[in-house]
Amino acid sequence: MKLKKIITIVAVALITVLLIYGFILLNQIFSPNTKFSENEVYVYVPTDSNYKDVQKILAPYVENMDRFDLVADKRGYSDNVIPGRFLLTKDMNSFALVKTMRLNSAVKLAFNNQERIEDLAGRVGSQIEADSLSLLTSFKDSIFLKENGFNEENVLAMFIPNTYEVYWNTTAFKFRDKMIKEYRSFWTKERVAKAEKQGLTPIEATILASIVHKESVKKDERPRIAGVYLNRLRAGMPLQADPTVIYAIKKKSNDFEQIIKRVFYNDLTMSHPYNTYKNLGLPPGPIAMPDITALEAVLNPEKNDFIYFCASIERFGYHEFAATLAEHNLNAKKYSDWINSQGVKR
């Protein structure tokens, strides 16, 4: 009887110890273990990181790293680090922290209004792990360009401005491959047929759309402007688009930071592939990344008899249109007199 009593006491003591240990362990696992005041923060784990790297990344956000290490070891995370972008929320416990470090969060990547492929590479590189140089290299890969019908001058036409979901650790080449899929998805048979109706390929439609985009910020006016430029192309006239001259000035000087509000006669005589006053047809590539409204304006242009237009001084942001040169000259003089009165030199 005495032995049974001893065994019972020992068993109870052991169970008590195990229960206390279990309670302590559960408390370590499930009690809050963050030290940031924001409701949520994102952390970024670069490709090829190991567990020590993760510990350094999480150190500013985790209250007790030993508790995190305990769960990470038990859950096998310390031997299986995943690169990417991860969402931490305030008062997460160690179990939840380890769980979230396995859930790579997608980035809502957006781009628009880029003037050059270099600008696009920089814009994208600021939002994902791949840097601008690796992105630019992937965009300009000669084999890729040839296989998909692009060249270095017109490859910007491949990128449809929008917001895309991608993983932060997406490589430059995977991002590029996603973009060519998005391009093909955008250029449906219906859109290709509409471009062909205007005598354009998808790339040519994008080049013209980039000019329309630069000509007017007023989306409701873009189909009319597209109609004017298409009238000029069909008539065998030069496009005579001031935005292409501005682009030529920037490209020739390799200074895309300069702001040019006014084009002078001497600018129109400049020898440059993008000067549509001297060269017939479209320039070699887009002068900017047109948004979808500008693309749709080219695919669905207004049917009109206008050949000329210039900025309006009565409806700022809009233009005055004309079917004859005499009428246009009157409109142009009004604008010239007004801009001179404003003291705009360049």
Side-chain angles (χ1 to χ4, degrees):
M1 288 295 292
K2 190 178 277 190
L3 180 61
K4 284 184 178 181
K5 191 173 183 180
I6 291 171
I7 292 173
T8 300
I9 291 171
V10 170
V12 170
L14 183 60
I15 291 170
T16 301
V17 170
L18 290 173
L19 286 172
I20 293 171
Y21 176 76
F23 176 79
I24 293 171
L25 185 62
L26 286 172
N27 185 60
Q28 288 180 330
I29 293 173
F30 292 105
S31 61
N33 193 21
T34 61
K35 59 179 181 181
F36 51 87
S37 59
E38 300 90 344
N39 288 327
E40 58 184 40
V41 295
Y42 283 98
V43 295
Y44 299 83
V45 178
T47 300
D48 297 327
S49 294
N50 57 35
Y51 186 64
K52 285 186 177 180
D53 297 324
V54 172
Q55 287 176 312
K56 292 177 182 177
I57 293 166
L58 290 180
Y61 309 104
V62 174
E63 182 70 37
N64 188 314
M65 190 58 70
D66 289 338
R67 284 156 55 188
F68 177 83
D69 291 341
L70 174 66
V71 178
D73 186 54
K74 295 292 184 184
R75 301 275 295 170
Y77 172 75
S78 53
D79 295 321
N80 188 27
V81 168
I82 299 170
R85 171 181 180 257
F86 304 93
L87 175 63
L88 310 184
T89 58
K90 188 178 180 180
D91 294 332
M92 263 185 166
N93 58 50
S94 298
F95 184 86
L97 284 167
V98 171
K99 183 180 180 180
T100 201
M101 293 305 293
R102 297 175 187 266
L103 302 174
N104 194 357
S105 299
V107 174
K108 289 189 181 296
L109 185 150
F111 55 80
N112 58 19
N113 296 332
Q114 310 302 309
E115 283 191 302
R116 301 176 301 158
I117 195 68
E118 291 83 1
D119 299 325
L120 175 64
R123 175 77 177 121
V124 174
S126 69
Q127 298 176 75
I128 62 174
E129 183 180 20
D131 61 31
S132 58
L133 183 59
S134 63
L135 286 161
L136 191 60
T137 299
S138 73
F139 298 163
K140 290 187 173 184
D141 178 64
S142 59
I143 296 174
F144 171 82
L145 292 175
K146 186 175 181 181
E147 287 178 348
N148 291 283
F150 294 100
N151 57 46
E152 288 194 18
E153 286 289 345
N154 64 30
V155 66
L156 190 63
M158 183 182 88
F159 299 88
I160 308 299
N162 212 330
T163 299
Y164 300 95
E165 280 202 356
V166 299
Y167 288 116
W168 174 78
N169 55 311
T170 298
T171 67
F173 287 93
K174 283 186 177 180
F175 175 77
R176 180 204 65 189
D177 292 344
K178 177 178 175 61
M179 290 299 99
I180 189 64
K181 288 179 182 178
E182 294 288 348
Y183 173 82
R184 290 170 182 152
S185 176
F186 177 82
W187 283 103
T188 60
K189 288 182 179 179
E190 182 184 11
R191 284 194 173 111
V192 171
K194 285 183 175 182
E196 289 175 348
K197 185 178 178 181
Q198 307 305 327
L200 305 169
T201 66
I203 292 176
E204 289 171 337
T206 305
I207 293 172
L208 182 55
S210 73
I211 299 172
V212 172
H213 178 103
K214 280 292 188 178
E215 281 285 13
S216 181
V217 297
K218 303 297 185 182
K219 295 177 182 179
D220 59 329
E221 188 184 56
R222 287 175 173 173
R224 175 166 291 188
I225 291 175
V228 173
Y229 280 131
L230 287 166
N231 288 343
R232 292 180 186 178
L233 286 173
R234 294 185 187 110
M237 293 175 58
L239 282 181
Q240 296 183 333
D242 287 0
T244 66
V245 178
I246 292 171
Y247 185 85
I249 294 169
K250 291 180 176 181
K251 192 171 178 68
K252 192 171 184 178
S253 63
N254 196 29
D255 178 9
F256 280 82
E257 298 299 320
Q258 60 184 305
I259 297 174
I260 301 173
K261 295 182 177 181
R262 192 171 185 180
V263 173
F264 294 103
Y265 177 77
N266 286 342
D267 299 325
L268 308 183
T269 63
M270 174 180 53
S271 293
H272 196 279
Y274 282 85
N275 183 356
T276 57
Y277 276 82
K278 290 201 70 172
N279 306 302
L280 285 173
L282 295 164
I287 61 170
M289 178 184 291
D291 65 23
I292 292 175
T293 64
L295 284 164
E296 292 292 356
V298 170
L299 299 180
N300 303 281
E302 177 185 278
K303 291 182 178 180
N304 58 58
D305 296 324
F306 299 131
I307 298 293
Y308 309 99
F309 65 95
C310 73
S312 174
I313 63 172
E314 294 171 357
R315 297 183 305 145
F316 288 107
Y318 285 92
H319 295 78
E320 300 295 343
F321 295 82
T324 67
L325 182 58
E327 186 182 0
H328 171 67
N329 286 338
L330 290 174
N331 293 332
K333 187 176 186 309
K334 286 180 184 178
Y335 178 72
S336 179
D337 290 344
W338 177 83
I339 202 168
N340 285 335
S341 72
Q342 300 302 303
V344 177
K345 302 297 183 184
R346 191 50 153 171

